[in-house]
Amino acid sequence: MKFVLTCLGMGAGAALLLAACAHRSSDTSAPVVPEPPPGLPELPLQTPLQAQQAPIVPLEDTIHVGADVAAAPDALPRVARHGETQIDHGTVTDGVGATELIAYLEADAASLQEDDEGNGMAVDLVSDGLLLRFAATPPTVYVAEGTPPELVDETVRAVQAINAALPNDWQLGFSRDPATADNISSPEGKIVVRFALQIEWPRGIASPTGKDVGVALPSYSIVPTEDPEMPFRIEIVAGRVFVDHTQTDGIERPGVIAHELIHLLGRNHVEAYRFPGTIMVDSGSKELTKHILLPLDREALLAVYSRLGPGSTPSDIANELEDWSDTSQHVRGSLDIEDNEISFGVALRNGLSQPWATGPSPHANLEDNTGLSGNVSWSGRLIGLTPDAEAVAGAADLSVDLETLAGTADFTGLEQWAADAAPGATGTGTTWSDGDLSYGIEVRGNTFAQTGGDDGAVTGAFFGPAHEGMGGVLERDDLRAGFGGER
């Protein structure tokens, strides 16, 4: 593909601060998602320390840990019983599929042909477009100094949702230190998020109507290539996000933050009537969800950062994604605890394993449960998949000292079965790795996360009115799994 990039007054090799991509508030017909019933404790605020953990999402009277990929309970055949845990395994057609994904990314690439004079970008594309992406190294997200904890929480949750969709080796970072207030531009590799009234945004980036809720300001770089047909490529190397937090709240604001961050990962606006399953529409999505991202958002992030290289053209998109699958392999465990179900598992599709766990919300935080004292334990099962689609299962044991709110998560007797095969009865598999994993954990509210131990990240929550159960996800390069247990 041959194209001409016009950068007024700037050298071709310089880093460029170009287009602003704005997000306007959604219309009044957007549905309202009900808040949790009165009396249920809120989840603790997320801080930069939790940014690399899996998402934890309150859904009315349940808590969901991990990606929004669980198969319906009756969608999979039952294959085994491990103690009190029912095990299901099989495939489900639950993905976007190649046709829609290719059409979406081609429309995204073609959007660069539009007239961008109004926002400072002049791109004359001779062919049919260009797919933008961030540079090879993932960026680190910063919040500005003085950002209130509630807005830091929403930014962290947006990053967690995005990371859950990205490849394991391409994850956004999140700085524990805020960006200084006098930082005018973002150095390469950094994205700075600021919450401010529109009148405090940089001059000229808000719309005259004052309806913009958020705006993304990418910094671009021109990188020479050895391809005579395309002697250079454009990539995003940094960026800034501005959000007017006074104009949006509830579940919309994390969606606005994610929308602007995804702009800085290269995605542009598309037409809502053609692609309703994405938050990347100019007027905001009507399909608001506490999981923040919609299926097409997740699939596009994975495709761009696992299959498509920098400078991809529409023809590259079609060639690289023609075998993109809409079918997932699932393994699922479930426990019935006093008329409540705790379920957990993992879905594997197009090379990405996404673990999850869900169960009923407790009626108080763990430390406020007056019926418990001393050291409290839960036992159950872990079920997961390796990158080669080998099912893995083992015992899951969690112990917490209520005085210190510290404890351990141990996964023992881990065994695996052949690739694509259903897990059998306990003892019928072969030992996975050395058969054991152990982590120190810390409890916050009704959630917990690892503080040390073996490689990998553990994120979990307590389930049931009186903390009768627990569940969560384990994320490692060689294993993604969900787990659950009862007290």
Side-chain angles (χ1 to χ4, degrees):
M1 181 190 78
K2 183 178 180 181
F3 63 88
V4 177
L5 174 72
T6 304
C7 306
L8 300 179
M10 306 189 77
L16 311 176
L17 182 62
L18 298 177
C21 299
H23 178 88
R24 296 180 175 83
S25 59
S26 57
D27 61 37
T28 56
S29 64
V32 176
V33 175
E35 295 298 321
L40 293 182
E42 295 184 358
L43 295 180
L45 294 179
Q46 300 290 282
T47 74
L49 293 174
Q50 286 83 47
Q52 301 309 309
Q53 299 295 141
I56 302 179
V57 183
L59 300 172
E60 298 186 13
D61 58 351
T62 65
I63 298 176
H64 186 97
V65 184
D68 180 24
V69 295
D74 58 353
L76 301 170
R78 182 130 309 154
V79 296
R81 185 181 182 93
H82 292 183
E84 299 300 316
T85 303
Q86 302 284 356
I87 306 294
D88 305 333
H89 179 274
T91 58
V92 179
T93 302
D94 55 2
V96 167
T99 300
E100 184 177 2
L101 179 61
I102 291 170
Y104 169 71
L105 291 175
E106 287 178 345
D108 177 290
S111 67
L112 285 183
Q113 293 177 291
E114 298 175 0
D115 181 10
D116 287 304
E117 291 183 3
N119 57 28
M121 187 178 190
V123 179
D124 179 17
L125 295 175
V126 177
S127 65
D128 53 356
L130 176 68
L131 192 75
L132 287 174
R133 55 163 284 167
F134 204 88
T137 302
T140 298
V141 176
Y142 291 70
V143 292
E145 278 183 334
T147 301
E150 294 79 8
L151 298 178
V152 175
D153 167 83
E154 292 180 347
T155 308
V156 170
R157 292 185 188 279
V159 169
Q160 290 173 334
I162 291 171
N163 276 342
L166 286 168
N168 304 339
D169 60 354
W170 210 95
Q171 298 276 295
L172 304 183
F174 204 112
S175 175
R176 299 183 182 186
D177 300 317
T180 57
D182 59 353
N183 187 356
I184 297 175
S185 62
S186 297
E188 284 196 14
K190 295 183 178 181
I191 293 174
V192 177
V193 180
R194 298 179 184 274
F195 296 90
L197 301 175
Q198 280 190 39
I199 59 174
E200 299 171 355
W201 292 3
R203 181 178 300 177
I205 68 171
S207 71
T209 64
K211 292 184 178 180
D212 289 346
V213 176
V215 65
L217 302 175
S219 295
Y220 296 85
S221 182
I222 299 175
V223 181
T225 74
E226 297 180 356
D227 184 352
E229 295 296 318
M230 185 178 177
F232 56 87
R233 68 173 185 266
I234 309 167
E235 60 185 28
I236 301 170
V237 295
R240 292 181 290 162
V241 168
F242 291 86
V243 175
D244 188 340
H245 54 291
T246 67
Q247 293 199 50
T248 182
D249 57 15
I251 64 171
E252 183 183 37
R253 189 159 57 214
V256 171
I257 298 168
H259 176 106
E260 303 306 339
L261 290 174
I262 292 173
H263 272 315
L264 298 181
L265 297 182
R267 304 289 53 76
N268 296 300
H269 290 145
V270 292
E271 296 167 318
Y273 78 92
R274 288 188 63 193
F275 303 104
T278 171
I279 64 172
M280 300 309 293
V281 292
D282 190 28
S283 59
S285 173
K286 294 182 180 180
E287 297 185 44
L288 300 177
T289 169
K290 286 191 175 182
H291 289 288
I292 302 177
L293 302 189
L294 298 176
L296 192 50
D297 302 312
R298 297 196 300 266
E299 300 254 347
L301 285 168
L302 178 60
V304 170
Y305 288 95
S306 68
R307 293 275 192 96
L308 299 171
S312 294
T313 66
S315 61
D316 297 325
I317 295 169
N319 291 335
E320 294 295 333
L321 299 181
E322 62 182 356
D323 63 344
W324 192 261
S325 178
D326 61 359
T327 301
S328 303
Q329 182 175 144
H330 289 265
V331 62
R332 179 182 187 272
S334 58
L335 280 165
D336 289 324
I337 302 177
E338 298 186 9
D339 298 324
N340 291 312
E341 183 182 79
I342 294 172
S343 56
F344 47 93
V346 63
L348 171 61
R349 186 173 72 250
N350 294 310
L352 181 65
S353 293
Q354 296 177 286
W356 59 274
T358 189
S361 298
H363 289 177
N365 285 329
L366 180 64
E367 62 183 321
D368 298 324
N369 186 336
T370 58
L372 302 177
S373 62
N375 196 280
V376 185
S377 299
W378 294 257
S379 295
R381 204 72 181 157
L382 171 144
I383 189 78
L385 292 170
T386 71
D388 296 324
E390 299 158 317
V392 175
D397 295 288
L398 186 77
S399 178
V400 175
D401 182 342
L402 294 182
E403 291 293 325
T404 63
L405 295 179
T408 59
D410 297 308
F411 306 105
T412 58
L414 298 174
E415 54 182 329
Q416 70 182 46
W417 289 265
D420 300 318
T426 55
T428 62
T430 59
T431 301
W432 176 84
S433 187
D434 64 1
D436 300 290
L437 294 169
S438 183
Y439 301 89
I441 63 161
E442 181 180 49
V443 175
R444 299 174 66 242
N446 282 318
T447 70
F448 58 87
Q450 96 288 347
T451 56
D454 284 307
D455 291 340
V458 174
T459 308
F462 298 100
F463 299 137
H467 307 94
E468 295 89 348
M470 64 82 181
V473 301
L474 168 64
E475 299 174 290
R476 292 167 50 96
D477 291 340
D478 55 2
L479 175 64
R480 295 292 173 107
F483 60 90
E486 58 183 322
R487 179 163 51 79

